[in-house]
Amino acid sequence: DIILSVDGLNVTYPGNVRALADTSVAFRKGQFTVLLGLSGAGKSTLLRSLNGLVKPTAGHVEAQGIGRLSSAALIRRHRRATAMVFQHHQLLHRKTALANVLTGRLAYHSTLRSLVPLPREDQELALHCLERVGLADKALSRVDQLSGGQQQRVGIARALAQKPRIILADEPVASLDPSTSERVLALLQRVCREDGITAIVSLHQLDYAQRFADRIIGLADAHVVFDAAPAALDRSQ
Ligand code: ADP
Ligand code: ADP
């Protein structure tokens, strides 16, 4: 059951920087896939291509139920059901945790809906999402008063509030210490499983990938260099 795929994807940035070369990958529904690679390997470019934020130089991206992301309207439709989580959270730092999670509801509603006040059930859903990441008691705290791990959990709650079928997370734990990183990855894995969300998460640590992924795709220098279950990588070491 393929939910998202790229076929013959090439991305070359201005200055002739090749970030992805002839990449074809299909993502199965409900899988927790880790994109593993060093800085500059192309992980972020692949994630942003999967969300229509990067336009392929060649090849295409296809989403289940939508087809090839070949027009702005199709990309918008795909993005409503695809939430992003970032390394630096991309939160509104002076706003409360609850206000930030509510922005996930704006992404869920159509552009027109976002111009009117969000209904009460959106507030309730946002609070529920904060409860799921263990931050109900911080709902009215300003984000800049939370720790890095708490901020990342707000980022996950905001993604959940979008009711996505896919979560794309770009180095979600790169700026967190090891024990906080493990807790954030375990949380992301659990909420995705509970909701049947397909997760594609970039990391640069093999040990985290092995502990949390259903599947590990290795990227190096714009190429997929391996694609395996974590157990298969154990044997090859
Ligand atoms: P990763 O996420 O694995 O660190 P990226 O996808 O960010 O890798 O980058 C892949 C390559 O593309 C790198 O060489 C990077 O410097 C280059 N790159 C990324 N974004 C841009 C951009 N907007 N313009 C030019 N080069 C870029
Ligand atoms: P971090 O502290 O995690 O490194 P940054 O300071 O890089 O995060 O900011 C992450 C995002 O939040 C950026 O997109 C930035 O524009 C935005 N941001 C930062 N501070 C504020 C603020 N006070 N109000 C609104 N947006 C902010």
Side-chain angles (χ1 to χ4, degrees):
D1 200 3
I2 303 301
I3 189 164
L4 189 60
S5 61
V6 301
D7 189 21
L9 192 68
N10 282 270
V11 176
T12 302
Y13 290 111
N16 212 24
V17 180
R18 194 170 65 164
L20 279 179
D22 211 13
T23 302
S24 299
V25 184
F27 297 94
R28 275 184 287 283
K29 189 165 185 290
Q31 260 191 347
F32 194 104
T33 298
V34 164
L35 305 179
L36 185 69
L38 300 175
S39 177
K43 306 181 297 295
S44 181
T45 300
L46 179 53
L47 284 170
R48 287 185 293 133
S49 304
L50 289 170
N51 200 20
L53 285 167
V54 166
K55 192 171 148 44
T57 311
H60 61 262
V61 180
E62 188 167 337
Q64 186 189 49
I66 293 174
R68 290 188 183 185
L69 303 184
S70 55
S71 72
L74 291 173
I75 289 172
R76 268 200 304 280
R77 216 178 117 200
H78 173 58
R79 275 197 206 147
R80 277 207 286 280
T82 305
M84 294 283 298
V85 173
F86 301 94
Q87 173 182 357
H88 292 295
H89 326 303
Q90 315 285 39
L91 300 172
L92 304 170
H93 288 202
R94 290 184 192 150
K95 303 269 189 191
T96 64
L98 186 64
N100 273 278
V101 175
L102 275 166
T103 65
R105 295 306 293 161
L106 294 177
Y108 172 82
H109 291 303
S110 72
T111 316
L112 194 64
R113 266 307 276 293
S114 74
L115 298 175
V116 302
L118 289 169
R120 186 182 177 79
E121 57 261 32
D122 284 318
Q123 305 256 3
E124 282 162 10
L125 177 71
L127 199 52
H128 174 66
C129 292
L130 280 171
E131 269 166 27
R132 290 186 65 192
V133 301
L135 286 178
D137 59 328
K138 301 289 184 194
L140 299 180
S141 299
R142 256 172 60 160
V143 154
D144 56 10
Q145 268 136 31
L146 302 180
S147 70
Q150 289 171 333
Q151 290 184 19
Q152 195 52 285
R153 282 149 65 198
V154 173
I156 293 170
R158 178 183 56 187
L160 289 174
Q162 202 179 325
K163 293 202 172 197
R165 45 181 207 153
I166 299 166
I167 289 181
L168 305 175
D170 195 355
E171 297 271 7
V173 300
S175 31
L176 303 178
D177 63 59
S179 72
T180 308
S181 296
E182 286 165 27
R183 284 172 51 205
V184 165
L185 287 171
L187 174 72
L188 190 58
Q189 182 193 50
R190 179 167 61 74
V191 294
C192 286
R193 290 229 164 110
E194 284 171 358
D195 291 10
I197 294 169
T198 304
I200 306 171
V201 181
S202 69
L203 296 175
H204 57 262
Q205 302 96 330
L206 175 65
D207 57 330
Y208 292 160
Q210 284 180 312
R211 284 175 45 204
F212 295 102
D214 296 320
R215 174 186 183 189
I216 305 177
I217 295 176
L219 284 171
D221 195 18
H223 292 84
V224 171
V225 290
F226 62 84
D227 184 348
L233 290 179
D234 275 337
R235 282 197 298 275
S236 68
Q237 277 182 346

